[in-house]
């Protein structure tokens, strides 16, 4: 069956609409091409910086996960928290490998202005050297809050700055 155009006198003068050729999305002038390349370069630089920042801050995320996984009922909570913070300090600078006691808290203060109460510092240090001393639930919570805040807000220097 062949298609026949309408033969009635009303439709006789209708003309089919022509489909126009598609418009290219490719820029026609050199200026737009330069702008597109520049925009692509800036996007790649921005993506690289964000990926680099994400990769360089992975130690923060890992330390936060380790702190979150600590049980408040653990008798060695202070020792494990100290170990996590010590690993982070050692990651920031190898000069922090041997810090303990007051030098540990001084090293923490080097990277972040917020400091821990002196009484809590002494209690934390005593739990590290003696198994008979333990932290209260409130002290554990204060230490956890301080360490999480420190991890989120400390400034990591380049190796040349220290």
């Amino acid at each position: 069956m062949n298609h026949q155009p309408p033969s009635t006198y009303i439709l006789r003068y209708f003309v089919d609409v022509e489909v126009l050729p598609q418009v290219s999305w490719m820029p026609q002038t050199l200026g737009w091409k330069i702008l597109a390349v520049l925009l692509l370069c800036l996007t790649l630089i921005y993506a690289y910086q964000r990926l680099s920042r994400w990769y360089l801050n992975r130690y923060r995320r890992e330390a936060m996960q380790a702190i979150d996984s600590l049980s408040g009922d653990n008798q060695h909570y202070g020792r494990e928290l100290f170990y996590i913070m010590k690993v982070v300090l050692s990651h920031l600078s190898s000069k922090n490998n041997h810090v303990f006691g007051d030098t540990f808290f001084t090293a923490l203060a080097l990277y972040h202005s917020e400091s821990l109460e002196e009484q809590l510092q002494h209690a934390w240090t005593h739990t590290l050297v003696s198994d008979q001393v333990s932290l209260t639930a409130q002290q554990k919570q204060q230490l956890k809050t301080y360490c999480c805040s420190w991890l989120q807000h400390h400034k990591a220097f380049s190796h040349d700055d220290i």
Side-chain angles (χ1 to χ4, degrees):
M1 177 176 205
N2 290 339
H3 177 65
Q4 298 282 332
S7 60
T8 64
Y9 70 93
I10 297 175
L11 300 176
R12 180 177 41 204
Y13 298 108
F14 278 171
V15 179
D16 284 340
V17 177
E18 283 187 41
V19 178
L20 297 175
Q22 292 182 351
V23 177
S24 171
W25 283 94
M26 186 67 176
Q28 300 292 318
T29 60
L30 182 64
W32 284 111
K33 290 178 183 178
I34 292 172
L35 185 64
V37 168
L38 183 66
L39 189 60
L40 177 67
C41 289
L42 289 174
T43 303
L44 289 175
I45 290 170
Y46 177 75
Y48 173 77
Q49 288 175 341
R50 294 290 296 181
L51 185 64
S52 178
R53 180 180 296 141
W54 174 83
Y55 182 75
L56 290 174
N57 284 324
R58 72 189 182 282
Y59 73 94
R60 293 179 196 242
R61 289 186 302 276
E62 290 173 4
M64 292 288 286
Q65 287 174 350
I67 289 173
D68 286 339
S69 70
L70 290 178
S71 171
D73 299 332
N74 188 348
Q75 183 181 1
H76 300 290
Y77 185 87
R79 187 171 296 152
E80 291 178 9
L81 190 60
F82 175 78
Y83 176 74
I84 293 168
M85 296 303 288
K86 181 83 178 268
V87 168
V88 170
L89 280 175
S90 297
H91 172 76
L92 294 174
S93 174
S94 61
K95 295 176 184 178
N96 295 324
N97 287 344
H98 303 291
V99 295
F100 183 80
D102 290 338
T103 56
F104 172 74
F105 296 109
T106 304
L108 287 176
L110 248 170
Y111 295 97
H112 186 44
S113 61
E114 184 182 332
S115 62
L116 200 56
E117 296 175 11
E118 196 168 323
Q119 182 182 7
L120 191 53
Q121 288 179 9
H122 292 301
W124 192 10
T125 305
H126 286 295
T127 61
L128 300 175
V129 294
S130 175
D131 286 336
Q132 284 78 26
V133 180
S134 62
L135 296 169
T136 65
Q138 182 183 5
Q139 288 174 327
K140 290 177 183 179
Q141 185 59 40
Q142 286 175 332
L143 282 175
K144 182 177 180 177
T145 303
Y146 170 75
C147 290
C148 289
S149 173
W150 188 91
L151 284 168
Q152 290 173 348
H153 301 294
H154 76 274
K155 293 271 190 183
F157 305 113
S158 68
H159 293 291
D160 300 331
D161 294 339
I162 297 176

